[in-house]
């Protein structure tokens, strides 16, 4: 049976209040689990201290794999499996490889990146979505703070810090 985690959830109405609050709460030493917003908020990832993802490197590796697979497949099919001599041309004409190689590179790269994203985020078919407050998909900004990871501050301290930084409702405790 999965172990439950305790979170303190604060709700903000405005991103202009949320961004300074994230900065101040992190400066207090409170570790924020995540912030859920109804739309992308500029610089929120910077304020939360997120590192750059390695998805670009994964895209390059998947693209190189797609290129290699396409060239290998075309070379094998046209050079060895079913060689054709059409009008005295080379039996492995490289310029003719370009469209198939490009499409294979894009296809394998895109599929690989989607798979990498789903695996790295723990998403997949049948996975239950984590929803701290359903209004985070509508018009509210929701900040979740994991109580188990914030051992320096008590629950009451975190609630007080949230209240000092502009939450619009009483912070609530959620078990997931």
């Amino acid at each position: 049976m999965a172990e439950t985690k305790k979170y303190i959830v604060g709700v903000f109405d405005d991103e202009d209040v949320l961004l300074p609050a994230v900065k101040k709460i992190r400066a207090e030493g409170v570790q924020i689990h995540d912030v859920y917003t109804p739309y992308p908020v500029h610089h929120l990832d910077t304020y939360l201290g997120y590192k750059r993802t390695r998805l670009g490197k994964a895209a390059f590796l998947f693209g190189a794999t797609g290129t290699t697979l396409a060239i290998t497949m075309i070379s094998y099919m046209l050079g060895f499996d079913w060689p054709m001599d059409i009008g005295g041309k080379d039996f492995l004409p490289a310029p003719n490889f370009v469209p198939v190689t490009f499409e294979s590179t894009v296809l394998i790269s895109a599929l690989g990146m989607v798979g990498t994203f789903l695996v790295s985020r723990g998403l997949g078919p049948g996975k239950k979505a984590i929803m701290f407050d359903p209004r985070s998909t509508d018009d509210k900004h929701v900040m979740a703070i994991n109580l188990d990871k914030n051992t320096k501050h008590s629950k009451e301290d975190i609630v007080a810090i949230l209240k000092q930084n502009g939450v619009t409702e009483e912070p609530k405790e959620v078990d997931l």
Side-chain angles (χ1 to χ4, degrees):
M1 185 164 177
E3 189 174 314
T4 61
K5 297 178 181 175
K6 294 184 181 294
Y7 295 90
I8 295 290
V9 176
V11 177
F12 295 82
D13 281 342
D14 190 7
E15 69 183 65
D16 293 332
V17 176
L18 174 71
L19 288 177
V22 168
K23 194 173 186 178
K24 289 176 187 172
I25 291 170
R26 288 193 69 216
E28 295 268 349
V30 176
Q31 191 176 4
I32 298 172
H33 171 70
D34 210 345
V35 175
Y36 302 90
T37 60
Y39 50 84
V41 176
H42 290 286
H43 306 297
L44 181 59
D45 54 340
T46 306
Y47 283 24
L48 286 170
Y50 287 167
K51 297 175 184 170
R52 288 185 56 96
T53 67
R54 292 178 286 181
L55 201 56
K57 293 176 184 174
F60 175 77
L61 292 175
F62 285 119
T65 302
T67 301
T68 304
L69 284 175
I71 290 173
T72 303
M73 177 186 71
I74 294 170
S75 299
Y76 174 74
M77 288 190 313
L78 295 180
F80 303 105
D81 188 41
W82 195 270
M84 291 188 288
D85 184 11
I86 300 172
K89 293 181 180 177
D90 298 336
F91 76 100
L92 289 175
N96 295 344
F97 290 9
V98 171
V100 173
T101 303
F102 174 76
E103 295 297 334
S104 176
T105 301
V106 171
L107 177 67
I108 299 296
S109 179
L111 292 176
M113 286 174 37
V114 168
T116 301
F117 175 75
L118 292 176
V119 169
S120 69
R121 295 291 126 207
L123 301 173
K127 175 76 175 170
K128 184 181 174 190
I130 296 174
M131 182 75 72
F132 289 101
D133 192 323
R135 297 175 297 169
S136 66
T137 61
D138 189 16
D139 62 343
K140 302 291 184 188
H141 304 279
V142 176
M143 179 185 299
I145 298 172
N146 188 339
L147 284 177
D148 300 329
K149 290 187 177 179
N150 286 288
T151 55
K152 293 180 183 175
H153 300 280
S154 68
K155 174 184 159 189
E156 292 77 21
D157 291 342
I158 293 173
V159 168
I161 290 170
L162 282 170
K163 286 180 178 177
Q164 290 169 0
N165 289 292
V167 290
T168 55
E169 300 172 7
E170 181 72 20
K172 60 183 177 184
E173 187 173 337
V174 175
D175 293 335
L176 291 179

